[in-house]
Amino acid sequence: EAGVVQSPRYKIIEKKQPVAFWCNPISGHNTLYWYRQNLGQGPELLIRYENEEAVDDSQLPKDRFSAERLKGVDSTLKIQPAELGDSAVYLCASSHSLEGNEQFFGPGTRLTVL
Amino acid sequence: LAKTTQPISMDSYEGQEVNITCSHNNIATNDYITWYQQFPSQGPRFIIQGYKTKVTNEVASLFIPADRKSSTLSLPRVSLSDTAVYYCLVGVGAAGNKLTFGGGTRVLVKP
């Protein structure tokens, strides 16, 4: 069974440029998560989807970040415009249910903003 | 907000048992306790999950006291490949609880 797929794996952009990350969760997983992980820190939840509905986006900086999961399957996280402080690893995870869920993580996208 | 606290780092030797304790004083009734392992340049990987008492699988044990305000991950007979960061995660996202990773514990297994 294929795991969570993320692309690109690495992205280098200049500040003020837009950037988008894509995630394809494990087939059948209805819950999808986007995390940001800064160097030396634990992952920080940005947004959680239950099917196509964003059920927790309180940690998403909505002035510049947006996310969508239109058909309840794959998802895109966008930053526009990017700032220097956005440099981090962006992780996508998926799980089958909310109760006692095990999250399966993708390899992440390492973003460097110059 | 179910915040967790873990030791920053821990050293051990091959063949020893490693115990990592996580504090989560304001854990909610519906929260589960989950531990993840992360190697460099990889996403976290599930190790074990529990709600109360003791859970054991093929790689670890999880001990949860009755008040559930802490939990201890036990790794038996560690090897060099167990060198990683271990995260304690509390919450299921229901009832407004956020999914929160702790700061992580860097475990270094020495030969």
Side-chain angles (χ1 to χ4, degrees), chain A residues 4-42:
Chain A
V4 176
V5 178
Q6 291 189 248
S7 68
R9 289 296 312 277
Y10 305 91
K11 188 74 176 179
I12 301 174
I13 61 172
E14 294 187 347
K15 62 181 180 181
K16 300 185 181 180
Q17 294 298 307
V19 64
F21 314 123
W22 177 78
C23 172
N24 190 33
I26 292 173
S27 177
H29 282 190
N30 54 338
T31 306
L32 184 145
Y33 314 76
W34 281 103
Y35 289 87
R36 175 172 58 190
Q37 186 171 26
N38 293 310
L39 188 63
Q41 299 182 21

Side-chain angles (χ1 to χ4, degrees), chain A residues 4 16 35 40 57 66-67 69 74 80-81 84 108:
Chain A
V4 176
K16 300 185 181 180
Y35 289 87
D57 63 355
S66 63
R69 193 185 185 200
D74 58 346
Q80 183 172 11
L84 295 176

Side-chain angles (χ1 to χ4, degrees), chain B residues 12-105:
Chain B
S12 184
Y13 291 91
E14 281 189 295
Q16 289 190 334
E17 179 181 80
V18 171
N19 295 305
I20 309 171
T21 297
C22 178
S23 297
H24 27 80
N25 291 321
N26 57 344
I27 188 170
T29 302
N30 293 333
D31 286 342
Y32 283 76
I33 300 156
T34 312
W35 286 80
Y36 285 82
Q37 175 192 56
Q38 188 175 27
F39 298 112
S41 300
Q42 295 185 25
R45 184 179 71 172
F46 174 90
I47 301 175
I48 197 167
Q49 183 177 73
Y51 184 80
K52 62 180 179 180
T53 63
K54 176 184 175 182
V55 180
T56 297
N57 62 22
E58 63 276 9
V59 298
S61 294
L62 179 59
F63 299 92
I64 305 169
D67 66 6
R68 304 203 323 126
K69 292 186 177 182
S70 67
S71 59
T72 299
L73 174 72
S74 180
L75 305 172
R77 299 178 299 282
V78 294
S79 63
L80 297 177
S81 63
D82 292 317
T83 293
V85 178
Y86 292 81
Y87 292 101
C88 171
L89 174 65
V90 174
V92 293
N97 289 324
K98 299 183 188 301
L99 298 174
T100 305
F101 275 81
T105 299

Side-chain angles (χ1 to χ4, degrees), chain A residues 41-69:
Chain A
Q41 299 182 21
E44 171 194 5
L45 180 69
L46 293 175
I47 189 168
R48 186 177 85 248
Y49 282 93
E50 179 69 19
N51 298 308
E52 66 275 7
E53 180 183 1
V55 296
D56 185 355
D57 63 355
S58 57
Q59 298 287 80
L60 190 71
K62 298 182 183 62
D63 57 336
R64 297 183 300 107
F65 286 65
S66 63
E68 60 182 15
R69 193 185 185 200

